[in-house]
Amino acid sequence: MPQVRTSENILNSFDLDASFLPSLNMSNATYKRSVKARWDYFVEKFDKGYEVIPTLRLMMIEQGIPQEFLFLAMAESEFSMRAFSPKKASGIWQLMPKTAKEMGLKINNYIDERRDPIKSTKAAIKYLKFLKNITGEWYLAAMAYNCGVGRLQKAIKKAGSKDLEVLLDPQKAYLPRETRNYIRMILGMSLAFNDADVLKNEDREYFLNRGAGSMITGVEVQAGTPLVDIAKAIGLDLNELKRYNKQFRYNFLPPGKGKYTVYIPYDKLALFRQEFQSSRRANEMFVLHYVKKGETLSSIAKKYKSDIKEIKNINEVKSSHLSIKQALIIPVLKDQYKKRVAQKQ
């Protein structure tokens, strides 16, 4: 049977009393605009994110984070792994570069782990716990996630209270309108997506199934492996594989030593173990080349003793036109590349 959480359960999980429910005024115009009027849109986004949602939900429960914080991710990115803001926040949890690195995520020329659904969630959990330790309440941690701890603390000091109803006063405007709408959005979606009657009418009762298993799984793959090799081994379209792995900036795993986690559909795991061989490109590596004035694909391929067709395929380049400072991934043989580097020294 689907697990149903009452409105009281949900508000309590945010450290709010059930008496706050009338203050949400879920029938007013603001709520209709923010949740009800966009219900179909939110349902669609939640549905698309459902491949990872059971896993993220379980991670949060195991770490003592209210599972309703999934709707913080909805408010931040609509569960889009590739979401990117003008302020340079990225991924499902819209983590800023500085915060992400402080939480242990890698961000470099080859990989941005803010777009890794599992690792970014671990980082978000760590950050939310940090905010909870500072603010003392989960609803305050949620608002601090949006406007920053400093801005929230100033608002509390000015209001002389941590009471959410006081902080949300639109006339006093202790907090930015964005933050006031943000916490209302999270609470509103948490309540709406736990309403069994509504979900039953929408044929979305499975949203309530908190026991659902993960639809994706992570496999460890050698650094430098082209994603197309993995896709072919499990009979998956390359673009479909990339949809699960937005953390990789290019169509191959970062070069170097070690292994990286690649996410594949759970039902492809047996096929991966049976068909994939990571050693068949043992002598191949990739280098990042920035196009200089006067260079062509032909001259670059000759420079690295590589193949023009393969360079175009890996970089998804259809024409031979290049732009200055354009980044290109070049497949090279390790021994030849090491020899070339040695000659330069």
PDB file of all heavy atoms in Angstrom, residues 294-316:
ATOM      1  N   GLY A 294      44.600  29.848 -37.065  1.00  0.00           N
ATOM      2  CA  GLY A 294      45.222  29.188 -38.205  1.00  0.00           C
ATOM      3  C   GLY A 294      45.147  27.673 -38.183  1.00  0.00           C
ATOM      4  O   GLY A 294      45.486  27.024 -39.175  1.00  0.00           O
ATOM      5  N   GLU A 295      44.707  27.089 -37.072  1.00  0.00           N
ATOM      6  CA  GLU A 295      44.640  25.633 -36.982  1.00  0.00           C
ATOM      7  C   GLU A 295      43.388  25.090 -37.664  1.00  0.00           C
ATOM      8  O   GLU A 295      42.336  25.737 -37.682  1.00  0.00           O
ATOM      9  CB  GLU A 295      44.668  25.178 -35.523  1.00  0.00           C
ATOM     10  CG  GLU A 295      46.025  25.326 -34.855  1.00  0.00           C
ATOM     11  CD  GLU A 295      46.048  24.730 -33.462  1.00  0.00           C
ATOM     12  OE1 GLU A 295      45.021  24.844 -32.748  1.00  0.00           O
ATOM     13  OE2 GLU A 295      47.083  24.160 -33.071  1.00  0.00           O
ATOM     14  N   THR A 296      43.514  23.903 -38.210  1.00  0.00           N
ATOM     15  CA  THR A 296      42.391  23.196 -38.823  1.00  0.00           C
ATOM     16  C   THR A 296      42.295  21.809 -38.192  1.00  0.00           C
ATOM     17  O   THR A 296      43.218  21.369 -37.490  1.00  0.00           O
ATOM     18  CB  THR A 296      42.594  23.046 -40.339  1.00  0.00           C
ATOM     19  OG1 THR A 296      43.754  22.216 -40.562  1.00  0.00           O
ATOM     20  CG2 THR A 296      42.788  24.400 -41.006  1.00  0.00           C
ATOM     21  N   LEU A 297      41.208  21.120 -38.475  1.00  0.00           N
ATOM     22  CA  LEU A 297      41.083  19.753 -37.972  1.00  0.00           C
ATOM     23  C   LEU A 297      42.224  18.883 -38.494  1.00  0.00           C
ATOM     24  O   LEU A 297      42.761  18.034 -37.775  1.00  0.00           O
ATOM     25  CB  LEU A 297      39.737  19.156 -38.393  1.00  0.00           C
ATOM     26  CG  LEU A 297      38.529  19.472 -37.505  1.00  0.00           C
ATOM     27  CD1 LEU A 297      37.263  18.895 -38.128  1.00  0.00           C
ATOM     28  CD2 LEU A 297      38.727  18.909 -36.101  1.00  0.00           C
ATOM     29  N   SER A 298      42.585  19.126 -39.736  1.00  0.00           N
ATOM     30  CA  SER A 298      43.656  18.345 -40.347  1.00  0.00           C
ATOM     31  C   SER A 298      44.989  18.584 -39.642  1.00  0.00           C
ATOM     32  O   SER A 298      45.719  17.638 -39.327  1.00  0.00           O
ATOM     33  CB  SER A 298      43.776  18.703 -41.831  1.00  0.00           C
ATOM     34  OG  SER A 298      44.836  17.984 -42.424  1.00  0.00           O
ATOM     35  N   SER A 299      45.297  19.850 -39.373  1.00  0.00           N
ATOM     36  CA  SER A 299      46.582  20.163 -38.735  1.00  0.00           C
ATOM     37  C   SER A 299      46.620  19.670 -37.292  1.00  0.00           C
ATOM     38  O   SER A 299      47.657  19.217 -36.803  1.00  0.00           O
ATOM     39  CB  SER A 299      46.850  21.670 -38.788  1.00  0.00           C
ATOM     40  OG  SER A 299      45.923  22.387 -37.983  1.00  0.00           O
ATOM     41  N   ILE A 300      45.472  19.730 -36.620  1.00  0.00           N
ATOM     42  CA  ILE A 300      45.409  19.261 -35.234  1.00  0.00           C
ATOM     43  C   ILE A 300      45.554  17.740 -35.183  1.00  0.00           C
ATOM     44  O   ILE A 300      46.286  17.196 -34.352  1.00  0.00           O
ATOM     45  CB  ILE A 300      44.084  19.703 -34.575  1.00  0.00           C
ATOM     46  CG1 ILE A 300      44.053  21.227 -34.434  1.00  0.00           C
ATOM     47  CG2 ILE A 300      43.911  19.043 -33.205  1.00  0.00           C
ATOM     48  CD1 ILE A 300      42.701  21.784 -34.026  1.00  0.00           C
ATOM     49  N   ALA A 301      44.869  17.054 -36.096  1.00  0.00           N
ATOM     50  CA  ALA A 301      44.964  15.596 -36.152  1.00  0.00           C
ATOM     51  C   ALA A 301      46.403  15.169 -36.439  1.00  0.00           C
ATOM     52  O   ALA A 301      46.923  14.219 -35.838  1.00  0.00           O
ATOM     53  CB  ALA A 301      44.023  15.053 -37.224  1.00  0.00           C
ATOM     54  N   LYS A 302      47.047  15.885 -37.338  1.00  0.00           N
ATOM     55  CA  LYS A 302      48.440  15.571 -37.683  1.00  0.00           C
ATOM     56  C   LYS A 302      49.353  15.824 -36.487  1.00  0.00           C
ATOM     57  O   LYS A 302      50.271  15.037 -36.210  1.00  0.00           O
ATOM     58  CB  LYS A 302      48.871  16.430 -38.872  1.00  0.00           C
ATOM     59  CG  LYS A 302      50.275  16.119 -39.377  1.00  0.00           C
ATOM     60  CD  LYS A 302      50.598  16.958 -40.614  1.00  0.00           C
ATOM     61  CE  LYS A 302      52.007  16.637 -41.122  1.00  0.00           C
ATOM     62  NZ  LYS A 302      52.345  17.441 -42.327  1.00  0.00           N
ATOM     63  N   LYS A 303      49.089  16.898 -35.771  1.00  0.00           N
ATOM     64  CA  LYS A 303      49.907  17.271 -34.614  1.00  0.00           C
ATOM     65  C   LYS A 303      49.901  16.174 -33.553  1.00  0.00           C
ATOM     66  O   LYS A 303      50.926  15.869 -32.939  1.00  0.00           O
ATOM     67  CB  LYS A 303      49.367  18.578 -34.031  1.00  0.00           C
ATOM     68  CG  LYS A 303      50.101  19.081 -32.806  1.00  0.00           C
ATOM     69  CD  LYS A 303      49.494  20.406 -32.344  1.00  0.00           C
ATOM     70  CE  LYS A 303      50.236  20.955 -31.141  1.00  0.00           C
ATOM     71  NZ  LYS A 303      49.679  22.266 -30.707  1.00  0.00           N
ATOM     72  N   TYR A 304      48.732  15.574 -33.355  1.00  0.00           N
ATOM     73  CA  TYR A 304      48.595  14.551 -32.314  1.00  0.00           C
ATOM     74  C   TYR A 304      48.637  13.125 -32.874  1.00  0.00           C
ATOM     75  O   TYR A 304      48.463  12.171 -32.119  1.00  0.00           O
ATOM     76  CB  TYR A 304      47.279  14.750 -31.560  1.00  0.00           C
ATOM     77  CG  TYR A 304      47.261  15.967 -30.671  1.00  0.00           C
ATOM     78  CD1 TYR A 304      46.709  17.165 -31.113  1.00  0.00           C
ATOM     79  CD2 TYR A 304      47.798  15.923 -29.387  1.00  0.00           C
ATOM     80  CE1 TYR A 304      46.682  18.284 -30.302  1.00  0.00           C
ATOM     81  CE2 TYR A 304      47.775  17.040 -28.564  1.00  0.00           C
ATOM     82  CZ  TYR A 304      47.218  18.225 -29.027  1.00  0.00           C
ATOM     83  OH  TYR A 304      47.197  19.334 -28.216  1.00  0.00           O
ATOM     84  N   LYS A 305      48.840  13.013 -34.199  1.00  0.00           N
ATOM     85  CA  LYS A 305      48.818  11.710 -34.864  1.00  0.00           C
ATOM     86  C   LYS A 305      47.497  10.995 -34.564  1.00  0.00           C
ATOM     87  O   LYS A 305      47.460   9.820 -34.199  1.00  0.00           O
ATOM     88  CB  LYS A 305      50.012  10.853 -34.426  1.00  0.00           C
ATOM     89  CG  LYS A 305      51.345  11.440 -34.856  1.00  0.00           C
ATOM     90  CD  LYS A 305      52.508  10.535 -34.507  1.00  0.00           C
ATOM     91  CE  LYS A 305      53.821  11.139 -34.999  1.00  0.00           C
ATOM     92  NZ  LYS A 305      54.991  10.287 -34.669  1.00  0.00           N
ATOM     93  N   SER A 306      46.427  11.757 -34.720  1.00  0.00           N
ATOM     94  CA  SER A 306      45.089  11.244 -34.449  1.00  0.00           C
ATOM     95  C   SER A 306      44.290  11.170 -35.744  1.00  0.00           C
ATOM     96  O   SER A 306      44.820  11.418 -36.833  1.00  0.00           O
ATOM     97  CB  SER A 306      44.386  12.149 -33.427  1.00  0.00           C
ATOM     98  OG  SER A 306      43.182  11.578 -32.986  1.00  0.00           O
ATOM     99  N   ASP A 307      43.018  10.829 -35.631  1.00  0.00           N
ATOM    100  CA  ASP A 307      42.167  10.639 -36.804  1.00  0.00           C
ATOM    101  C   ASP A 307      41.077  11.711 -36.847  1.00  0.00           C
ATOM    102  O   ASP A 307      40.374  11.929 -35.848  1.00  0.00           O
ATOM    103  CB  ASP A 307      41.522   9.246 -36.740  1.00  0.00           C
ATOM    104  CG  ASP A 307      40.618   8.979 -37.929  1.00  0.00           C
ATOM    105  OD1 ASP A 307      41.147   8.722 -39.026  1.00  0.00           O
ATOM    106  OD2 ASP A 307      39.384   9.043 -37.745  1.00  0.00           O
ATOM    107  N   ILE A 308      40.951  12.390 -37.977  1.00  0.00           N
ATOM    108  CA  ILE A 308      39.986  13.488 -38.108  1.00  0.00           C
ATOM    109  C   ILE A 308      38.564  13.008 -37.826  1.00  0.00           C
ATOM    110  O   ILE A 308      37.808  13.657 -37.094  1.00  0.00           O
ATOM    111  CB  ILE A 308      40.045  14.111 -39.525  1.00  0.00           C
ATOM    112  CG1 ILE A 308      41.388  14.808 -39.737  1.00  0.00           C
ATOM    113  CG2 ILE A 308      38.901  15.103 -39.714  1.00  0.00           C
ATOM    114  CD1 ILE A 308      41.556  15.390 -41.131  1.00  0.00           C
ATOM    115  N   LYS A 309      38.191  11.877 -38.407  1.00  0.00           N
ATOM    116  CA  LYS A 309      36.828  11.363 -38.241  1.00  0.00           C
ATOM    117  C   LYS A 309      36.523  11.085 -36.774  1.00  0.00           C
ATOM    118  O   LYS A 309      35.439  11.412 -36.272  1.00  0.00           O
ATOM    119  CB  LYS A 309      36.646  10.090 -39.065  1.00  0.00           C
ATOM    120  CG  LYS A 309      35.226   9.555 -39.047  1.00  0.00           C
ATOM    121  CD  LYS A 309      35.088   8.331 -39.948  1.00  0.00           C
ATOM    122  CE  LYS A 309      33.651   7.800 -39.911  1.00  0.00           C
ATOM    123  NZ  LYS A 309      33.508   6.589 -40.774  1.00  0.00           N
ATOM    124  N   GLU A 310      37.492  10.498 -36.067  1.00  0.00           N
ATOM    125  CA  GLU A 310      37.263  10.185 -34.652  1.00  0.00           C
ATOM    126  C   GLU A 310      37.185  11.458 -33.816  1.00  0.00           C
ATOM    127  O   GLU A 310      36.394  11.556 -32.883  1.00  0.00           O
ATOM    128  CB  GLU A 310      38.369   9.273 -34.117  1.00  0.00           C
ATOM    129  CG  GLU A 310      38.023   8.678 -32.763  1.00  0.00           C
ATOM    130  CD  GLU A 310      38.908   7.509 -32.381  1.00  0.00           C
ATOM    131  OE1 GLU A 310      39.816   7.166 -33.160  1.00  0.00           O
ATOM    132  OE2 GLU A 310      38.679   6.953 -31.295  1.00  0.00           O
ATOM    133  N   ILE A 311      38.000  12.452 -34.162  1.00  0.00           N
ATOM    134  CA  ILE A 311      37.943  13.737 -33.451  1.00  0.00           C
ATOM    135  C   ILE A 311      36.559  14.355 -33.617  1.00  0.00           C
ATOM    136  O   ILE A 311      35.962  14.854 -32.658  1.00  0.00           O
ATOM    137  CB  ILE A 311      39.026  14.707 -33.979  1.00  0.00           C
ATOM    138  CG1 ILE A 311      40.420  14.205 -33.600  1.00  0.00           C
ATOM    139  CG2 ILE A 311      38.808  16.112 -33.409  1.00  0.00           C
ATOM    140  CD1 ILE A 311      41.554  15.012 -34.204  1.00  0.00           C
ATOM    141  N   LYS A 312      36.037  14.306 -34.830  1.00  0.00           N
ATOM    142  CA  LYS A 312      34.708  14.877 -35.099  1.00  0.00           C
ATOM    143  C   LYS A 312      33.617  14.105 -34.355  1.00  0.00           C
ATOM    144  O   LYS A 312      32.689  14.702 -33.801  1.00  0.00           O
ATOM    145  CB  LYS A 312      34.434  14.881 -36.605  1.00  0.00           C
ATOM    146  CG  LYS A 312      35.317  15.859 -37.381  1.00  0.00           C
ATOM    147  CD  LYS A 312      35.070  15.793 -38.885  1.00  0.00           C
ATOM    148  CE  LYS A 312      33.781  16.484 -39.260  1.00  0.00           C
ATOM    149  NZ  LYS A 312      33.633  16.601 -40.735  1.00  0.00           N
ATOM    150  N   ASN A 313      33.733  12.784 -34.324  1.00  0.00           N
ATOM    151  CA  ASN A 313      32.723  11.968 -33.641  1.00  0.00           C
ATOM    152  C   ASN A 313      32.710  12.220 -32.135  1.00  0.00           C
ATOM    153  O   ASN A 313      31.652  12.395 -31.529  1.00  0.00           O
ATOM    154  CB  ASN A 313      32.975  10.478 -33.909  1.00  0.00           C
ATOM    155  CG  ASN A 313      32.609  10.076 -35.324  1.00  0.00           C
ATOM    156  OD1 ASN A 313      31.835  10.766 -35.990  1.00  0.00           O
ATOM    157  ND2 ASN A 313      33.169   8.980 -35.793  1.00  0.00           N
ATOM    158  N   ILE A 314      33.886  12.244 -31.541  1.00  0.00           N
ATOM    159  CA  ILE A 314      33.981  12.426 -30.090  1.00  0.00           C
ATOM    160  C   ILE A 314      33.480  13.803 -29.670  1.00  0.00           C
ATOM    161  O   ILE A 314      32.834  13.963 -28.637  1.00  0.00           O
ATOM    162  CB  ILE A 314      35.437  12.218 -29.614  1.00  0.00           C
ATOM    163  CG1 ILE A 314      35.792  10.732 -29.704  1.00  0.00           C
ATOM    164  CG2 ILE A 314      35.635  12.725 -28.188  1.00  0.00           C
ATOM    165  CD1 ILE A 314      37.224  10.418 -29.391  1.00  0.00           C
ATOM    166  N   ASN A 315      33.776  14.805 -30.509  1.00  0.00           N
ATOM    167  CA  ASN A 315      33.381  16.174 -30.176  1.00  0.00           C
ATOM    168  C   ASN A 315      32.019  16.556 -30.745  1.00  0.00           C
ATOM    169  O   ASN A 315      31.577  17.690 -30.571  1.00  0.00           O
ATOM    170  CB  ASN A 315      34.444  17.154 -30.685  1.00  0.00           C
ATOM    171  CG  ASN A 315      35.732  17.049 -29.907  1.00  0.00           C
ATOM    172  OD1 ASN A 315      35.870  17.618 -28.833  1.00  0.00           O
ATOM    173  ND2 ASN A 315      36.697  16.297 -30.444  1.00  0.00           N
ATOM    174  N   GLU A 316      31.379  15.600 -31.431  1.00  0.00           N
ATOM    175  CA  GLU A 316      30.077  15.840 -32.053  1.00  0.00           C
ATOM    176  C   GLU A 316      30.125  17.062 -32.971  1.00  0.00           C
ATOM    177  O   GLU A 316      29.238  17.911 -32.967  1.00  0.00           O
ATOM    178  CB  GLU A 316      28.993  16.005 -30.979  1.00  0.00           C
ATOM    179  CG  GLU A 316      28.798  14.751 -30.136  1.00  0.00           C
ATOM    180  CD  GLU A 316      27.705  14.908 -29.097  1.00  0.00           C
ATOM    181  OE1 GLU A 316      27.710  15.928 -28.380  1.00  0.00           O
ATOM    182  OE2 GLU A 316      26.849  14.025 -29.009  1.00  0.00           O
TER     183      GLU A 316
END
